[in-house]
């Protein structure tokens, strides 16, 4: 019989956290997650990527359970291939928010993640994908971004840093949307009040688990709500300073199997 796990729920971000720079999972990380699962713990991916961009990675993990996607706007059931829960960003509000941001900082370049398990990532002229391995469809003009319901808007600025763009966006967007920063070149607008903690709490409840049973791993400011919710937050060595400041622990980088290092300690071999 498996021993009672140190934590019953392991919540991991993907980019810069569980994944290496080449979008792969190391054998050591896979082994550590399998050992934790053998001890009775559940692994839950909690990522800014939308469900369609997560499905191949869940296949690599052999996961048929739940995943929190789209910065908490989606809870995806990998086994059933469907969304259990999703929230969309009102497209008129998104356009208004973009206008307010551009009134302050000049032109930004935008992309959107469409809602649904088969939603596309659309990018307007001038937008460069921060993850070139992720598929995207280039449209001819910004108006084309709003053709279908969306879960979020991704923003890039020609010269402002991500931190500068995020600070300005938060100051002018107000209640139109939640502003997050989830990685290099990735400032995002998502439905107001939605964070990774929102989706994580819903998924955990579905599994019959709570925050006191959860350890969370991340690397960017968008992981702060998840750390606030979970009992224990572990930042990667490569994490943004804002996340490191609120973490309970700092581990090695994603390239050095930082998650595996912690899990091996918590779930030693029998």
């Amino acid at each position: 019989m498996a021993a009672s796990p140190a934590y019953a729920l392991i919540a991991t971000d993907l980019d810069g956290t569980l994944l290496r720079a080449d979008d792969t999972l190391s054998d050591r990380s896979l082994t550590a997650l399998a050992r934790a699962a053998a001890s009775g713990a559940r692994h839950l991916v909690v990522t800014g990527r939308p469900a369609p961009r997560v499905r191949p990675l869940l296949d690599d993990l052999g996961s048929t359970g739940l995943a929190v996607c789209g910065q908490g706007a989606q809870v995806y059931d990998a086994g059933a291939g469907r969304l259990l829960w999703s929230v969309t960003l009102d497209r008129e509000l998104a356009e208004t928010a973009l206008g307010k941001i551009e009134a302050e900082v000049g032109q930004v370049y935008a992309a959107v993640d469409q809602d649904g398990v088969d939603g596309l990532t659309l990018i307007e002229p001038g937008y460069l994908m921060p993850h070139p391995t992720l598929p995207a469809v280039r449209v001819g003009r910004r108006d084309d971004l709003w053709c279908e319901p969306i879960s979020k808007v991704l923003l890039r600025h020609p010269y402002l840093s991500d931190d500068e763009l995020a600070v300005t966006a938060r100051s002018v967007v107000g209640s139109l949307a939640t502003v997050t920063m989830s990685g290099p070149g990735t400032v995002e607008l998502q439905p107001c009040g939605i964070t990774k903690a929102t989706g994580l709490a819903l998924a955990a409840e579905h599994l019959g688990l709570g925050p006191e049973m959860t350890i969370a791993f991340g690397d960017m400011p968008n992981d702060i709500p998840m750390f606030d919710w979970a009992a224990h937050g572990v930042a990667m060595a490569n994490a943004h300073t804002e996340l490191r400041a609120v973490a309970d622990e700092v581990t090695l980088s994603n390239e050095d199997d930082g998650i595996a290092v912690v899990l091996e300690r918590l779930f030693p071999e029998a």
Side-chain angles (χ1 to χ4, degrees):
M1 180 181 294
S4 297
Y7 291 98
L9 184 60
I10 301 164
T12 67
D13 175 46
L14 288 178
D15 297 292
T17 303
L18 182 61
L19 297 179
R20 296 179 290 195
D22 61 359
D23 268 9
T24 61
L25 289 150
S26 74
D27 290 339
R28 185 178 179 185
S29 292
L30 288 170
T31 299
L33 287 168
R35 184 190 301 177
S39 295
R42 304 289 291 269
H43 174 220
L44 192 64
V45 166
V46 185
T47 178
R49 295 190 186 196
R53 306 289 88 79
V54 178
R55 286 156 64 183
L57 292 166
L58 296 178
D59 291 341
D60 290 344
L61 287 166
S63 175
T64 58
L66 303 183
V68 177
C69 308
Q71 303 292 12
Q74 301 172 325
V75 176
Y76 174 67
D77 184 335
R82 66 186 181 91
L83 290 172
L84 295 184
W85 182 80
S86 68
V87 178
T88 58
L89 175 60
D90 183 279
R91 286 167 279 178
E92 289 188 8
L93 293 182
E95 284 191 278
T96 300
L98 274 176
K100 287 179 172 290
I101 294 168
E102 289 188 319
E104 293 292 322
V105 301
Q107 183 178 14
V108 298
Y109 299 109
V112 299
D113 285 333
Q114 293 180 333
D115 188 41
V117 295
D118 296 310
L120 300 173
T121 297
L122 305 182
I123 58 178
E124 72 173 350
Y127 185 89
L128 299 177
M129 285 291 289
H131 298 288
T133 60
L134 297 180
V137 176
R138 190 170 296 280
V139 297
R141 55 182 185 148
R142 179 170 292 180
D143 286 349
D144 296 330
L145 298 177
W146 320 120
C147 62
E148 299 288 344
I150 61 173
S151 60
K152 64 180 179 179
V153 178
L154 302 89
L155 306 176
R156 302 195 75 168
H157 194 274
Y159 60 84
L160 288 180
S161 70
D162 298 330
D163 290 282
E164 291 169 328
L165 179 57
V167 166
T168 300
R170 289 190 187 103
S171 71
V172 299
V173 165
S175 63
L176 294 173
T178 295
V179 179
T180 61
M181 181 169 51
S182 61
T186 314
V187 174
E188 302 180 359
L189 306 178
Q190 59 201 69
C192 186
I194 297 297
T195 69
K196 282 191 174 185
T198 310
L200 175 56
L202 285 168
E205 182 181 11
H206 188 84
L207 297 172
L209 301 172
E212 73 283 355
M213 307 173 183
T214 304
I215 183 171
F217 295 84
D219 73 309
M220 290 299 291
N222 65 319
D223 294 312
I224 291 175
M226 179 168 70
F227 278 26
D228 289 342
W229 185 86
H232 193 77
V234 183
M236 313 307 289
N238 50 287
H240 192 282
T241 54
E242 288 183 21
L243 187 69
R244 289 169 63 100
V246 301
D248 298 298
E249 179 181 351
V250 178
T251 186
L252 300 182
S253 72
N254 60 318
E255 297 295 335
D256 294 323
D257 295 314
I259 288 180
V261 168
V262 175
L263 295 183
E264 288 163 359
R265 183 188 78 224
L266 294 174
F267 303 93
E269 286 186 298

